[in-house]
Amino acid sequence: MTDPTDPSSSEPASGEDAASRGIRHRARHAIARKSRQAGRISRTTMRYAVFMCGAAGVALFSLVFAWIAETALRWNAHLTAATPWLAFVMLPFGLAALRWLTIRYAAQARGSGIPQVLAAISLPPDSAAQRVLVSFRQAMWKVVLTAAALLAGASVGREGPSVQVGAAAMLSWGRWCEQKLRFRTGFHPNALIAAGAAGGLASAFNTPLAGVVFAIEELGRGAAMRWDRVVLSGVLTAGFLTLSLLGNNPYFSIKVPILALHDAWGPVLLCAVVNGVLGGLFAKLLIGGVPGLLPARWRQWPQAHPIWVAFGCGLIVAAIGFGTAGATFGTGYEQASALINGHGERSPWFGVGKFFATVLSYFAGVPGGIFTPALAIGAGIGDNVAHILGFMPEPRMLALISMAAFLAAATQAPITASVIVMEMTRTQDLTVFLLASSLLASFLARQFCPHPFYHHMGHAFRREAVNVTRRPSSAE
């Protein structure tokens, strides 16, 4: 019989127990480690899936918005072509009605939409003021009212509004996932807003790369944004999904390739100078508004009578459109596309007329962007410069260069302007010309309008949103 007190008899048993315990401990540790890794992989996959679904939703919203806007433009073209004088009814009364609806139901949906997004990014995350600027309700009003403005014949675009709509859709999707699905995405609200906004622009123009550049140059300017793979992947997902649905078709289709004439630097720089000056004045006019054009003692009148201001602006826009055979109504896409394809406008004053029609449409205070109208203005100015010079073997080149130059001058975002025009026309051979003219035009515009238009208006929307959210507490 074994003596339990004998140390020699107890060593083998205790050694076996220690070894088996060590094996079991290591096995449990390995299983726990694998479980944690699987959990991290699963959570990361879910976060990517949620973000990509939101980006897909942004792309679909942009496509539906584009279809609604194109339908409104077709109806306007049909009505004004059949009965030209009808514009004098639709524009003044239409803009007055839209201004009333905007004041009554969608005060944060007026104008482009990009300043609202910039203001939202600069506000405290998930604050009441931020939710006001990029609320889903305001975005839906933005779609309806912008389409109505295009139906009336206002010189506005849908691409800027697509930015605000995309930001609101992405932010609402992230909140819905956390509240309804009980899934903590872990995404910063500003990241959702930036990804949705840039994805909306990429989908609107069918330009994924331009969406990324816009996010970095415009949305990241002056804001502490954290750009990671997920956010940029969301922007590219929205853009590439649009490409897959619509095909790899450029926003502006050029039938015959434009020759990159390397001896055309003189006319190109001239176009940059002209567009830089006019683009700077354009931004200055938009910032100043109607009060900026009036004597000091009359500047309170437009603020007290916004409906009458919209009516008067609509009347003048109708007159400009009537004088240019309807060329200045709507976004200006058809006219810009014709100019860069070598088909001149019937009216030599298209560029100038579009300039003032866009300014007055913005003065009316209705929802609508300036992206495509600015491109159309630039194309018209470039065509005018080519005709004045007379010796250009490729006048289409100046129309295309001026599109980027005027947009860069109006927004003071030269990289975005040059990339977006290059990508939407598939004219990589002209990238150097586009970039050089955009940089020069942006520099000159800054001499007339030191503050970038979108960011200046963004500060105004920020103050307004903060005041709106403080009203209930101050009343209490």
Side-chain angles (χ1 to χ4, degrees), residues 290-291 293-303:
V290 176
L293 301 176
L294 298 176
R297 63 179 181 276
W298 292 351
R299 288 178 184 171
Q300 298 301 321
W301 189 89
Q303 299 175 358

Side-chain angles (χ1 to χ4, degrees), residues 150-231:
L150 291 171
L151 176 61
S155 179
V156 296
R158 63 170 174 83
E159 290 75 20
S162 296
V163 171
Q164 188 179 10
V165 171
M170 196 71 164
L171 186 62
S172 298
W173 169 251
R175 286 193 187 128
W176 186 86
C177 288
E178 292 190 352
Q179 294 172 3
K180 302 297 182 181
L181 300 182
R182 305 295 182 184
F183 178 73
R184 297 287 297 175
T185 60
F187 293 122
H188 196 281
N190 286 1
L192 292 169
I193 293 172
L201 184 75
S203 299
F205 281 120
N206 209 15
T207 52
L209 177 60
V212 173
V213 174
F214 171 77
I216 296 173
E217 185 179 28
E218 275 292 339
L219 302 181
R221 185 190 303 183
M225 292 293 298
R226 179 177 177 268
W227 302 107
D228 56 24
R229 292 176 300 172
V230 181
V231 175

Side-chain angles (χ1 to χ4, degrees), residues 22-38:
I23 293 172
R24 286 195 298 271
H25 175 73
R26 287 193 295 272
R28 285 196 299 268
H29 182 70
I31 292 172
R33 186 173 65 252
K34 292 294 183 182
S35 299
R36 287 194 298 270
Q37 290 176 351

